[in-house]
Amino acid sequence: MKEIMDDGNSRFAVMLTRIVIIGDGQVESAFRTFGFASILNDRYNGEADILLRKFPGYTSEWISLIASSTARNLSGNCPDFVVLVLGQDDCLRREEDKRPLISPDQFGKNVVKIINKITNEIDVKPEHVIIVSPVPIHQRRFDSNKSFAGLSADSQMLDIYTQKAKEAAKRVAGRFVNTTSLFSRNMDGYIDRDGYKLTPEGHTALAEKLKEMIEIAPPPYPAYNEVGSDFQAELDSVAKRQSLKQPPNISAYTYVSTVDEYSAFFKKTYRGQV
């Protein structure tokens, strides 16, 4: 259920539950066949819309600078849940990447800043903001991975970032997924050979955890066997509840071209009616 402002009046439109995932390099494969977003999409089977905004290589500081515009661009698809997956690009650097690491304290502040900017732009409940901690590293596999030559990383460092993410979630009254706890029971199975990316099994475990935390609304469209004999009137009523336009305008807008619709909109704007 979404509140829509139309011609100055507040009304409600019934929509599918919308989930947006925002993250750094950890979400780069989220919508691949084995990715956790694809798995969520499969589990919901058309009963929820899942959007992904990925920023591989972006630190939490960088994402905080674009958080407002990212959220503003979602306003037409206003999400019911926001999942933030941050931290890995704050504390891991490839050899050729000379940017300084983001300290754990600054990371925590950046997460709070990102959430505040997002919630200032879109109407989402604090408890519907889910912060996912940085994925833990598989120490033995990571140490043998030559992609990060020259960088010292260990599980204790990741634990500090995880704690800061948890504190940020508590501060904004959001929810928290501790991936270290989630994956520790089977690191060999959940963390890939490079030591820091998730395996398909790891993506599945994360998807199932998120599914536990996300409650979707009933589908707005009735099943075919729930529609009565007066199906035209019933489905017309459903269409109006789904529309962002006022019910009386549905028929009129059905028969006008896009140019005519924009022309009508600008005339209304000029007259101060919008």
Side-chain angles (χ1 to χ4, degrees):
M1 189 76 75
K2 288 292 184 185
E3 186 173 12
I4 307 297
M5 295 302 296
D6 194 347
D7 290 337
N9 298 315
S10 178
R11 68 186 188 83
F12 290 89
V14 182
M15 300 178 182
L16 290 175
T17 299
R18 291 173 175 176
I19 304 162
V20 63
I21 300 167
I22 301 174
D24 56 16
Q26 297 170 100
V27 305
E28 192 167 11
S29 59
F31 258 121
R32 292 181 182 171
T33 303
F34 59 83
F36 70 89
S38 289
I39 296 168
L40 275 177
N41 201 42
D42 178 70
R43 298 291 191 271
Y44 290 130
N45 192 27
E47 295 184 354
D49 289 332
I50 301 176
L51 306 173
L52 175 64
R53 298 295 181 265
K54 60 179 183 178
F55 303 97
Y58 278 49
T59 64
S60 59
E61 182 178 16
W62 285 23
I63 292 177
S64 72
L65 296 174
I66 59 172
S68 292
S69 62
T70 300
R72 200 173 302 126
N73 288 333
L74 292 168
S75 59
N77 295 293
C78 192
D80 300 282
F81 290 86
V82 175
V83 179
L84 291 175
V85 189
L86 305 169
Q88 195 172 83
D89 289 332
D90 288 77
C91 58
L92 296 181
R93 293 284 183 277
R94 294 186 182 275
E95 187 175 18
E96 65 273 14
D97 188 345
K98 304 303 180 183
R99 293 176 298 171
L101 298 178
I102 303 296
S103 71
D105 285 338
Q106 187 59 49
F107 167 67
K109 293 176 182 177
N110 290 341
V111 173
V112 172
K113 187 185 300 184
I114 291 167
I115 296 169
N116 286 337
K117 287 186 174 184
I118 290 173
T119 54
N120 282 340
E121 296 291 340
I122 58 178
D123 183 20
V124 60
K125 298 177 181 178
E127 63 269 24
H128 286 183
V129 176
I130 302 172
I131 300 172
V132 179
S133 73
V135 172
I137 60 174
H138 190 300
Q139 196 69 60
R140 176 173 48 80
R141 291 177 177 175
F142 184 85
D143 290 343
S144 63
N145 180 5
K146 302 305 180 185
S147 298
F148 288 94
L151 175 64
S152 174
D154 58 47
S155 299
Q156 289 184 343
M157 178 184 69
L158 264 296
D159 287 344
I160 299 173
Y161 282 84
T162 295
Q163 182 59 34
K164 293 300 178 181
K166 183 177 181 180
E167 292 172 4
K170 183 176 181 180
R171 182 173 174 181
V172 299
R175 303 176 75 183
F176 178 66
V177 176
N178 187 331
T179 56
T180 300
S181 299
L182 183 64
F183 300 135
S184 60
R185 64 181 182 271
N186 186 14
M187 290 287 282
D188 287 345
Y190 291 153
I191 307 298
D192 212 342
R193 288 177 295 178
D194 56 19
Y196 70 102
K197 291 181 181 177
L198 294 179
T199 62
E201 291 77 12
H203 277 279
T204 300
L206 179 56
E208 295 295 351
K209 182 63 178 178
L210 290 173
K211 190 171 183 295
E212 291 175 8
M213 305 173 76
I214 296 173
E215 182 180 352
I216 65 170
Y221 297 106
Y224 82 94
N225 56 357
E226 295 175 345
V227 179
S229 58
D230 192 3
F231 63 89
Q232 188 169 359
E234 289 188 40
L235 295 181
D236 182 61
S237 176
V238 171
K240 289 175 180 177
R241 291 201 305 272
Q242 280 287 95
S243 176
L244 298 184
K245 301 184 185 302
Q246 291 279 18
N249 297 333
I250 295 292
S251 299
Y253 276 110
T254 302
Y255 299 103
V256 298
S257 68
T258 303
V259 174
D260 291 335
E261 189 168 340
Y262 273 103
S263 176
F265 175 81
F266 283 121
K267 285 179 181 177
K268 290 172 71 178
T269 304
Y270 180 77
R271 295 168 186 162
Q273 296 176 347
V274 175

